[in-house]
């Protein structure tokens, strides 16, 4: 068994303020719905620089001191898809949307009123609970299962 594999590196960031999360109404067919903004890490780019760049590109905001709070992973045909999860409550700039989708501040108590991506609540749980750090999809008996650790 090989000890190395191909990995796609990506980032997501939960930008938040007192009572609301900044969510993207994602329009792409994969993972469609209200979710966190994010994207791929470029070759030789640091993970932190990637989340700062992606937030600027997708939201217009510059996040300051984003905090790594967990990871999400799942198998893909050629290896593994790894998502570094970040929190940010300090930012500057003017909010805007991108070709990825429209950006919206959604109050925490209104999350059930928007079309969230399927795994949003589990993802949010990992990102906001200091006792958790990993969200993993595994394939068991032909069906996807979520493991939270």
């Amino acid at each position: 068994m090989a000890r190395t594999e191909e990995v796609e590196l990506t980032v997501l960031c939960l930008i938040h303020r007192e009572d609301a999360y900044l969510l993207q109404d994602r329009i792409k067919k994969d993972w469609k719905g209200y979710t966190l903004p994010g994207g791929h890490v470029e070759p030789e780019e640091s993970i932190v620089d990637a989340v700062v760049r992606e937030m600027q590109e997708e939201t217009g905001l510059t996040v300051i001191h984003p905090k790594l709070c967990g990871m999400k992973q799942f198998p893909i045909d050629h290896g593994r898809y790894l998502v570094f999860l970040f929190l940010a409550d300090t930012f500057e700039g003017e909010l805007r949307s991108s070709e990825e989708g429209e950006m919206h501040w959604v109050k925490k108590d209104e999350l059930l009123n928007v079309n969230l991506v399927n795994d949003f609540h589990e993802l949010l749980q990992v990102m906001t609970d200091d006792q958790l750090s990993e969200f993993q999809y595994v394939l068991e008996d032909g069906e996807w299962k979520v493991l939270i650790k």
Side-chain angles (χ1 to χ4, degrees), residues 70-88:
M71 70 179 87
K72 176 181 177 181
Q73 64 173 312
F74 51 90
I76 52 178
D77 288 340
H78 59 277
R80 183 187 309 230
Y81 197 93
L82 184 59
V83 186
F84 293 91
L85 307 174
F86 285 87
L87 292 171

Side-chain angles (χ1 to χ4, degrees), residues 27-44:
I27 58 176
K28 288 186 176 182
K29 293 201 186 303
D30 66 322
W31 220 42
K32 187 175 183 173
Y34 278 72
T35 190
L36 305 175
H40 283 81
V41 177
E42 300 294 333
E44 300 182 25

Side-chain angles (χ1 to χ4, degrees), residues 96-114:
R96 64 172 166 73
S97 297
S98 73
E99 63 204 26
E100 300 282 333
E102 195 78 22
M103 299 305 304
H104 302 275
W105 284 106
V106 178
K107 292 188 180 225
K108 295 174 186 178
D109 62 0
E110 294 179 3
L111 286 174
L112 296 176
N113 300 330
V114 297

Side-chain angles (χ1 to χ4, degrees), residues 8 11 13 20 29-30 36 41-42 46 58 63 75 93 99 110 117 121 127-128 139:
E8 273 191 61
V11 294
C13 189
K29 293 201 186 303
D30 66 322
L36 305 175
V41 177
E42 300 294 333
S46 87
E58 294 194 13
V63 293
E99 63 204 26
E110 294 179 3
V117 294
H121 290 290
M127 296 177 81
T128 59
L139 197 55

